[in-house]
Amino acid sequence: MSADRSAFGAFLRARRDRLTPAQAGIDAFPGPRRVPGLRREELAMLAGLSTDHYSRLEQGRQSTVSESVLTALIRALRLDEAEAAHLRDLAAPTSRSRPPAPEVQRPDPGLMRLLATLHHVPVLLLGQRAEVLARNTLLAAVLGRPLHPGSSFMDYLFGDPSARERIVNWAEFGARAIAAMRMEAGRRPHDQRLADNVRKLLDTDPDAARWWQDHTVRDYAPVSKVIRHPDAGLLEFGVEIVSAPHLPEQHLVVYTVEPGSPTARVLPILASWATDATTPVSPPR
């Protein structure tokens, strides 16, 4: 069984377990139930497949998956857009060729220009594997860490104790980060560095391992973030994501604030403490 097919089957099982017959709009099949969600035969019926065919899919014994079967599974499991994209990534041929991941990622010039204009709010540019490509100084002032280009934002989020102390809603933010990492891992199955990063994180952090096991996937999306700053007090942000169409794996993470809010009033003070607040920090060319 290939790793890709194993992941495909595991994701099917996880999504089947969370969907009850009532949620799927069917009457439960008679007999004692040993699973929290749908039985295999119930999902097979919903997708218009034989139970044997569906069992082969979930056990990773089906070498190819047609588009019509994928569409039927997505409909039967009621997958959202991110989950459907992830299922298709996992179902893609295991022999498909993938370009090697670049050793050095170059930040997109357009996103860098946008970062430079947003000196009044914290901004971070992330690349593949959540690698920090650039950030402005106000972001470092808010998080209390330099986050140098080439470092890993996941290492900061899960490996630096200050992240759990400073980010008030760290659990929500951490779970979303793991869901985005799982999404990227499905999209880039041949990225060995990413696979190594995932393995290391799961081996060292029980929260990350627990969230990874529930198979939740989520693409980069807006989220709220609350920071407890030792000098400025409680800071509340809406985190928005901007990506360049030609480089969808680079994400400009912008910490927005409500005009006139306490956070908006205190940010200029934090910026004044940082001497290079308008100068983005980026990798040397």
Side-chain angles (χ1 to χ4, degrees):
M1 183 190 303
S2 74
D4 283 346
R5 289 297 168 261
S6 176
F8 179 81
F11 184 67
L12 282 179
R13 172 62 186 270
R15 297 307 90 183
R16 175 170 68 84
D17 282 350
R18 75 169 187 178
L19 188 65
T20 66
Q23 291 169 333
I26 63 171
D27 292 329
F29 285 13
R33 305 189 68 82
R34 296 188 300 272
V35 293
L38 292 173
R39 294 173 174 172
R40 284 180 178 174
E41 55 267 29
E42 290 169 336
L43 182 56
M45 187 230 7
L46 282 168
L49 305 173
S50 70
T51 302
D52 179 65
H53 187 181
Y54 177 77
S55 295
R56 291 199 307 272
L57 291 171
E58 194 170 286
Q59 293 166 2
R61 296 187 290 113
Q62 186 74 26
S63 59
T64 60
V65 188
S66 69
E67 177 59 32
S68 61
V69 168
L70 283 173
T71 300
L73 290 171
I74 289 167
R75 182 186 65 251
L77 288 167
R78 304 198 171 193
L79 302 185
D80 62 25
E81 186 176 345
E83 292 168 332
H86 184 62
L87 188 69
R88 284 193 161 90
D89 284 335
L90 297 178
T94 57
S95 60
R96 62 183 172 179
S97 89
R98 290 290 188 97
E103 288 301 315
V104 179
Q105 300 183 66
R106 299 296 183 186
D108 175 69
L111 293 178
M112 287 296 292
R113 288 192 294 271
L114 183 56
L115 184 152
T117 66
L118 297 172
H119 53 81
H120 57 293
V121 292
V123 187
L124 171 70
L125 179 59
L126 295 178
Q128 295 171 10
R129 313 176 204 95
E131 181 180 324
V132 176
L133 302 183
R135 52 86 177 159
N136 63 11
T137 308
L138 189 51
L139 180 112
V142 165
L143 296 184
R145 287 295 182 266
L147 291 179
H148 296 300
S151 65
S152 166
F153 188 76
M154 296 297 282
D155 283 351
Y156 157 73
L157 191 60
F158 287 92
D160 189 331
S162 72
R164 284 175 165 85
E165 296 168 1
R166 188 166 290 210
I167 302 173
V168 175
N169 57 335
W170 179 88
E172 175 191 5
F173 203 77
R176 284 175 171 264
I178 292 297
M181 176 177 265
R182 180 177 272 284
M183 186 93 175
E184 184 179 3
R187 189 180 297 131
R188 304 182 58 81
H190 302 299
D191 189 334
Q192 190 56 49
R193 288 174 59 192
L194 176 59
D196 291 342
N197 290 352
V198 170
R199 191 177 303 109
K200 175 184 174 184
L201 180 58
L202 302 187
D203 286 344
T204 56
D205 192 284
D207 288 317
R210 174 167 51 86
W211 290 324
W212 185 268
Q213 285 303 316
D214 71 14
H215 288 267
T216 298
V217 291
R218 191 187 303 272
D219 217 339
Y220 284 90
V223 64
S224 297
K225 193 171 189 177
V226 183
I227 303 292
R228 185 182 292 108
H229 194 278
D231 299 312
L234 210 61
L235 306 175
E236 299 183 8
F237 298 98
V239 179
E240 304 293 334
I241 310 295
V242 180
S243 298
H246 58 285
L247 276 177
E249 292 182 331
Q250 290 194 17
H251 308 279
L252 194 68
V253 183
V254 183
Y255 287 50
T256 63
V257 295
E258 287 291 335
S261 66
T263 301
R265 291 195 295 269
V266 80
L267 279 184
I269 301 173
L270 283 177
S272 69
W273 295 343
T275 58
D276 62 338
T278 60
T279 305
V281 179
S282 60
R285 292 188 178 277

